[in-house]
Amino acid sequence: SSDGWKSRAAEVASQVLALPGDDTGARTIARHVITTDVPQWHFVIVTDLARNLAYDAALRRAVTPESRVLEIGTGSGLLAMMAARAGAAHVYTCEMEPAVAMTAREIIARNGFADRITVLDRHSKDVTADELGGQGAADVVLVGHVGESVGLGAAFGGEHLKTIPNSMGFQLPAD
């Protein structure tokens, strides 16, 4: 599958960027490999201050020290880190683009959250409840975008699920 070679290409590109020296050509190609499949809207939403402040406030209200959070589409890992900072016991976050997942892991580790955030590098439809710490459904589902997310309420917690609306006002169904 293309995900296998994409993942390997992202790993090699990351290794190139970690090498000592200043080979501008190699570094430029490595950055291109890593960012080629990243949709441009990723760069827009990560800098949307109003959106991010709203998510941060909502997470601080919804998350408790016992919360296990599932985020759909990690991107840079920003919202997952907000959930961890808000006090979640653990955050599981899905990212189907291998290079984006790899970069999110690096950002999360650099910010000191690697022990509380698990990046699952696959589509959310391929994640089972058992993968969420072996404890079944998540307490909070965090969706930063619409699309793949419809119907997850039943799959990851049903009526006991707290949902946080995304920037367009969409909420997951309660069941």
Side-chain angles (χ1 to χ4, degrees):
S1 90
S2 67
D3 284 348
W5 68 261
K6 282 184 188 180
S7 182
R8 181 66 184 131
E11 288 173 24
V12 171
S14 182
Q15 291 169 357
V16 168
L17 292 175
L19 291 173
D22 195 24
D23 185 337
T24 305
R27 296 177 83 69
T28 300
I29 292 168
R31 283 191 193 98
H32 178 74
V33 167
I34 290 172
T35 61
T36 294
D37 285 335
V38 179
Q40 289 302 303
W41 57 262
H42 275 279
F43 302 103
V44 173
I45 63 173
V46 79
T47 61
D48 185 338
L49 182 61
R51 171 191 181 271
N52 295 334
L53 288 172
Y55 267 106
D56 194 48
L59 285 164
R60 289 178 189 272
R61 286 190 309 270
V63 171
T64 68
E66 296 83 30
S67 293
R68 285 176 312 104
V69 176
L70 172 65
E71 179 189 23
I72 309 300
T74 198
S76 67
L78 178 64
L79 300 181
M81 290 186 291
M82 285 181 189
R85 185 177 65 191
H90 202 85
V91 179
Y92 299 89
T93 184
C94 307
E95 179 53 59
M96 65 183 199
E97 288 296 335
V100 176
M102 178 191 70
T103 302
R105 278 190 196 91
E106 292 173 11
I107 292 168
I108 288 164
R110 282 188 199 153
N111 283 280
F113 292 108
D115 61 328
R116 294 184 40 220
I117 300 173
T118 301
V119 178
L120 304 167
D121 56 350
R122 60 190 158 283
H123 195 285
S124 58
K125 69 180 171 61
D126 298 324
V127 175
T128 66
D130 288 341
E131 291 178 280
L132 306 179
Q135 300 174 30
D139 304 301
V140 177
V141 173
L142 179 55
V143 182
H145 58 286
V146 184
E148 69 182 77
S149 309
V150 177
L152 282 175
F156 290 104
E159 64 189 26
H160 303 293
L161 183 68
K162 296 178 188 175
T163 60
I164 297 174
N166 74 5
S167 58
M168 298 173 70
F170 178 84
Q171 289 188 313
L172 292 175
D175 51 40

